[in-house]
């Protein structure tokens, strides 16, 4: 950082972006409201490593069945059916990742195709943030 950087006018993020960041800050601190916190976990885990990562990590950290049920309560139809399909495959063979690879891959594709629906739900939630 140079001396002139100290005097440069810092651009303030638009309110919408600050609310979005606040929402994720609350999630990181474990203070986001249900069912949005669970939806954010779902989006984050699937986005980073697919449904197999989501099931593994949530199962290790909390009650997977309760988490999935909470996410299902808020997901729109194409994603709800998709999560149910992936979860049923996981429950049938929770320790056999290879057996579920094809199903998880297909479910990941559906997730990415419809991820905008999740973003819309999270944008609505972010609008409720106090900044």
């Amino acid at each position: 950082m140079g001396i002139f950087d100290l005097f440069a006018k810092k651009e303030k993020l638009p309110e919408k972006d600050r609310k979005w960041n606040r929402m994720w800050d609350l999630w990181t601190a474990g203070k986001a409201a249900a069912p949005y916190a669970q939806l954010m976990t779902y989006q984050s885990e699937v986005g980073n490593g697919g449904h197999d990562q989501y099931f593994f990590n949530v199962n290790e950290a909390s009650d997977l069945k309760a988490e999935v049920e909470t996410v299902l309560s808020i997901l729109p139809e194409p994603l709800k059916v998709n999560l149910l399909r992936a979860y049923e495959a996981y429950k049938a063979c929770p320790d056999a990742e290879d057996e579920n690879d094809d199903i998880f891959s297909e479910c990941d594709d559906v997730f990415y195709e419809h991820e905008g629906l999740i973003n819309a739900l999270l944008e609505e939630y972010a609008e409720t943030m106090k900044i």
Side-chain angles (χ1 to χ4, degrees), residues 3-72:
I3 189 74
F4 294 108
D5 292 333
L6 294 173
F7 301 107
K9 183 176 179 180
K10 295 188 179 183
E11 295 294 321
K12 191 173 184 179
L13 286 174
E15 182 177 357
K16 181 179 179 180
D17 293 340
R18 288 184 288 140
K19 287 182 174 188
W20 181 263
N21 290 344
R22 174 75 176 138
M23 176 188 70
W24 283 102
D25 289 344
L26 288 173
W27 176 75
T28 301
K31 296 180 181 178
Y36 299 100
Q38 292 81 3
L39 181 63
M40 294 165 77
T41 298
Y42 176 63
Q43 183 186 43
S44 178
E45 291 291 346
V46 174
N48 285 321
H51 282 85
D52 54 343
Q53 176 176 306
Y54 169 70
F55 296 131
F56 177 81
N57 286 344
V58 172
N59 193 48
E60 291 292 312
S62 65
D63 181 351
L64 178 60
K65 181 181 180 198
E67 288 274 330
V68 169
E69 288 173 358
T70 302
V71 173
L72 289 170

Side-chain angles (χ1 to χ4, degrees), residues 55-117:
F55 296 131
F56 177 81
N57 286 344
V58 172
N59 193 48
E60 291 292 312
S62 65
D63 181 351
L64 178 60
K65 181 181 180 198
E67 288 274 330
V68 169
E69 288 173 358
T70 302
V71 173
L72 289 170
S73 76
I74 193 170
L75 277 179
E77 199 55 41
L79 290 168
K80 183 182 288 190
V81 170
N82 190 57
L83 176 54
L84 277 170
R85 180 175 180 231
Y87 186 52
E88 290 302 318
Y90 172 80
K91 287 191 314 184
C93 300
D95 298 321
E97 288 180 27
D98 293 341
E99 291 183 32
N100 293 324
D101 276 350
D102 290 341
I103 292 172
F104 287 163
S105 180
E106 291 169 14
C107 290
D108 293 349
D109 290 344
V110 171
F111 171 88
Y112 292 123
E113 181 181 337
H114 297 287
E115 189 175 11
L117 297 172

